[in-house]
Amino acid sequence: MATRLRWLGHSCLWIESDGIKLLVDPFLTGNPKAVVSAEEVDPDFICVSHGHGDHVGDTIAIAQRTGATVICNYEISQWLEGKNVKAHGMQHGGAFHFPFGRIKLTLAFHGSVLPDGANGGNPCGFHWFFKDGSTVYDAADTGLFGDMALIGEEGVDLALLPIGDNYTMGPEDALRAVKLIRPKMVVPIHFGTFGMIDQDAAAWGRGVAAQTSAIPHILQPGEWVTIRG
Ligand code: NI
Ligand code: MN
C-alpha cells in the first residue's frame, strides 16, 4: 500500500496509488516546464479541474490513446464524450468511489470556458481519499476561500496550492490557505511556467515552515513526493 506523487510542471500531476495511475491537468504539449511528453504517459484515470487550455491540455489525445477515463465536472464530461473520450461527470460537493479510492469535487473560484469556446461548467479542485488512507487535496486554479477549512477538517496529508498570483492565489493567500487547510505537507504549483506567474517558491516554503506546522516540499518539475511509503 503506497501513494506517491510526481509534479510534471505547471498544474500537471502524476499520482500512483497501489498500482493505479492518475494524471491530473495534463498540459504537456506547449508547456515549457513539462518533463514528459503526451505520448509517453499511460494513466488509468485523468482528472481535469476546469476547461482552460493549460489544464485540459492533451486530455483528448491521451485518453483516446490509452482508454483512460476522465474525471471532471459534468459539462466537461459531456464535451469529452462528444469527442469519443470516456468520461465520468461529477459536481461540487459530490463524491464517488473509483478503483483507487474516493474523489470529492471541491469548490474553486476561477473560470472554465473550454478551448473551443464551449461551456466548461464551473471549475473545481479534487480531494482524493486513497485506499491506503492517503489524502490529497489539489486546490487547482482558485483564489483563497474560507471553506478551505472545511476541506481540511476531512483530512489532508498533502495539499497542492497555486502560488503564481494573477490568475490564482498568490504566495500570501496561499500561505493563509495552508493555515486554513492544516495539511501535513504542501507543494506549490501553477508558478514559473510563464513570466507573469514567476514566484520565489523557496521563500514561500520558508514562510510555510516558519508560520505553520506543514512541511513544504518545493519540487522541481519531475520530482516526487511520497505520501505513504
Ligand atoms: Ni485556469
Ligand atoms: Mn491555469
Side-chain angles (χ1 to χ4, degrees):
M1 303 287 269
T3 300
R4 61 182 194 152
L5 178 149
R6 187 183 188 206
W7 186 40
L8 300 183
H10 199 59
S11 291
C12 186
L13 312 172
W14 179 262
I15 306 174
E16 295 177 357
S17 187
D18 293 339
I20 300 181
K21 298 162 289 181
L22 284 78
L23 180 63
V24 184
D25 286 347
F27 170 45
L28 299 170
T29 303
N31 174 358
K33 295 293 167 73
V35 291
V36 298
S37 74
E39 290 72 35
E40 58 187 319
V41 289
D42 59 342
D44 300 300
F45 294 89
I46 303 172
C47 298
V48 175
S49 65
H50 64 288
H52 292 160
D54 60 320
H55 298 260
V56 172
D58 300 292
T59 295
I60 293 171
I62 297 169
Q64 287 179 343
R65 176 175 54 79
T66 63
T69 297
V70 181
I71 302 168
C72 55
N73 73 27
Y74 178 76
E75 289 81 3
I76 295 176
S77 78
Q78 294 296 103
W79 183 77
L80 289 170
E81 283 178 355
K83 298 177 188 304
N84 291 319
V85 168
K86 212 183 327 165
H88 180 110
M90 301 177 64
Q91 289 295 15
H92 306 81
F96 191 81
H97 286 275
F98 291 93
F100 52 82
R102 184 166 167 258
I103 285 190
K104 193 175 197 180
L105 252 60
T106 66
L107 300 184
F109 289 87
H110 194 67
S112 184
V113 69
L114 284 152
D116 63 2
N119 173 22
N122 290 308
C124 72
F126 296 104
H127 197 175
W128 292 274
F129 304 82
F130 291 104
K131 281 189 167 166
D132 67 354
S134 304
T135 50
V136 178
Y137 168 50
D138 175 12
D141 281 12
T142 186
L144 179 69
F145 55 93
D147 286 356
M148 285 180 174
L150 299 177
I151 296 167
E153 283 176 8
E154 293 179 80
V156 177
D157 293 327
L158 172 65
L160 298 128
L161 300 177
I163 67 164
D165 220 344
N166 194 75
Y167 301 111
T168 68
M169 291 188 282
E172 297 83 7
D173 279 356
L175 182 55
R176 296 166 73 195
V178 176
K179 294 174 184 176
L180 290 171
I181 301 162
R182 301 160 62 100
K184 294 192 181 81
M185 299 177 279
V186 63
V187 168
I189 57 172
H190 211 275
F191 69 93
T193 320
F194 311 108
M196 192 181 284
I197 57 171
D198 277 348
Q199 296 294 341
D200 185 343
W204 183 78
R206 287 191 292 275
V208 169
Q211 296 184 40
T212 80
S213 58
I215 298 167
H217 290 274
I218 312 303
L219 304 180
Q220 295 298 316
E223 289 185 335
W224 295 84
V225 58
T226 297
I227 299 141
R228 191 163 293 210

